[in-house]
Amino acid sequence: MSCRCAHDNTGIDGFIVVAVLWILLALAALASVFAIYVANTELAVSVNDDSVQADALVSASLELTAYKLVTIRREDRPTHGAFSYRLGRANVDVDFRSETARIDLNMAPKELLAGLFTALGASYDNALDYADRVIGWRTAPSTDTPDKEASLYRAAGLNYAPRGGPFGDVAELTLVLGLPPALVEAAMPYVTVYSGRAEINIRDAAPAVLAAIPGMTPSGLATFLGQRGSLDAQSAATQAGTMQNFVTTEGGRATRVTVGVRFDSGRRIVSQAVILVGGSEKPYRILSWQDDIDAQSMPAAAPAFARGL
């Protein structure tokens, strides 16, 4: 009787040992899973924290830019500028440039639009056709004649018609009939819907935009680019010569602000916004905002800190 009890106790003890081992293994596995979760959570929080700070720094940069502009008389406001500051764990570089440095899809004449497409590689004949389609997109149809532009879209099998009004966004350029996607992508850094002017600002425009000016030759462009940094407004206008119908040296109310945030951790973020200065109860209004700008999409005139990422 006593031997049977000893045998039973041994079996129970063995079962308890096995159960304890299983529990220890389960706890070890749980601890590993928890450690991985904590590490991933810490990384996610860190990235999210950078993003939150970046948004705040971009907002601060827009306010500083607007302050720099509204405190100067409109006729004396600079059409471009740059400044830097440090806040928290980041260095911030800011570049601002009048939107008149770009070609306005809603205002530019056919010659300037065709010039841009030619400068970006289209043949002259194709560039003229593309310019016609852009103008056709933004032009309201006549009430007493058939809408020829809409009929072109129907003939092409498209299930939409041209807007028949101003471009709401430069992205609408992708919908314009006949424009090659590669050409549209190449044109994006040089066009806008916020300038409000038919002319371009020759003091701030990128080389590709200057090349779009009718009558601009490669040698003339090279000469002008080499001199414009030292030219005042009147001299720059004089240099334009016969091109004066397509150019200006004036800015506008819309300003494009490029903000580069460099965190101490090594992370870098470039954001870009277009703001409208003045004209309302607030000192400025945000017209567009784009985060994490692709450096490849930056025009040659973009700030070095943005193109160098």
Side-chain angles (χ1 to χ4, degrees):
M1 186 70 177
S2 60
C3 290
R4 187 164 56 249
C5 292
H7 180 267
D8 289 345
N9 289 338
T10 301
I12 292 172
D13 291 343
F15 174 79
I16 292 173
V17 170
V18 171
V20 169
L21 288 176
W22 276 108
I23 292 172
L24 291 175
L25 287 173
L27 289 173
L30 182 61
S32 298
V33 171
F34 181 73
I36 293 172
Y37 171 78
V38 169
N40 289 340
T41 301
E42 181 181 7
L43 177 61
V45 168
S46 174
V47 171
N48 183 63
D49 184 50
D50 283 351
S51 298
V52 170
Q53 287 192 44
D55 284 346
L57 291 170
V58 173
S59 294
S61 299
L62 298 183
E63 293 180 3
L64 287 171
T65 301
Y67 176 77
K68 287 178 176 289
L69 294 175
V70 298
T71 54
I72 301 174
R73 291 189 310 170
R74 184 170 180 177
E75 56 270 26
D76 296 328
R77 287 176 187 171
T79 58
H80 66 274
F83 60 92
S84 300
Y85 64 93
R86 178 172 177 81
L87 188 63
R89 299 181 292 103
N91 294 308
V92 185
D93 299 308
V94 183
D95 178 278
F96 61 91
R97 194 168 300 268
S98 172
E99 201 67 349
T100 55
R102 297 187 175 214
I103 294 174
D104 195 307
L105 292 175
N106 292 322
M107 302 297 294
K110 177 179 177 178
E111 297 89 344
L112 198 54
L113 292 168
L116 176 63
F117 294 137
T118 302
L120 296 177
S123 69
Y124 179 71
D125 289 340
N126 284 342
L128 289 175
D129 184 57
Y130 300 152
D132 281 334
R133 300 287 71 77
V134 170
I135 293 173
W137 179 274
R138 75 191 193 194
T139 303
S142 173
T143 55
D144 27 349
T145 59
D147 188 352
K148 294 182 179 180
E149 197 68 22
S151 66
L152 293 175
Y153 282 71
R154 288 193 297 270
L158 298 175
N159 60 357
Y160 60 89
R163 176 185 281 274
F167 283 80
D169 189 278
V170 293
E172 283 184 26
L173 200 59
T174 61
L175 301 176
V176 174
L177 176 66
L179 270 63
L183 183 65
V184 171
E185 183 178 358
M188 285 298 178
Y190 309 112
V191 295
T192 182
V193 295
Y194 302 120
S195 165
R197 298 195 65 140
E199 312 90 354
I200 58 168
N201 187 327
I202 55 174
R203 301 184 70 190
D204 300 331
V209 175
L210 295 173
I213 301 172
M216 180 67 78
T217 63
S219 60
L221 176 60
T223 300
F224 181 77
L225 287 173
Q227 296 177 349
R228 74 168 172 177
S230 59
L231 296 176
D232 58 25
Q234 184 59 43
S235 299
T238 301
Q239 286 283 332
T242 58
M243 309 168 193
Q244 290 190 25
N245 291 335
F246 304 98
V247 301
T248 181
T249 57
E250 298 177 2
R253 289 175 54 201
T255 299
R256 186 172 296 263
V257 185
T258 305
V259 183
V261 180
R262 296 174 288 122
F263 289 101
D264 294 344
S265 63
R267 188 180 183 201
R268 297 188 177 191
I269 296 174
V270 176
S271 297
Q272 197 172 80
V274 178
I275 61 174
L276 187 68
V277 178
S280 65
E281 295 179 357
K282 297 182 179 180
Y284 74 96
R285 180 160 57 93
I286 298 175
L287 301 178
S288 72
W289 181 317
Q290 186 177 0
D291 288 323
D292 292 333
I293 301 296
D294 181 5
Q296 299 301 317
S297 68
M298 287 286 181
F305 69 80
R307 288 184 282 111
L309 293 181

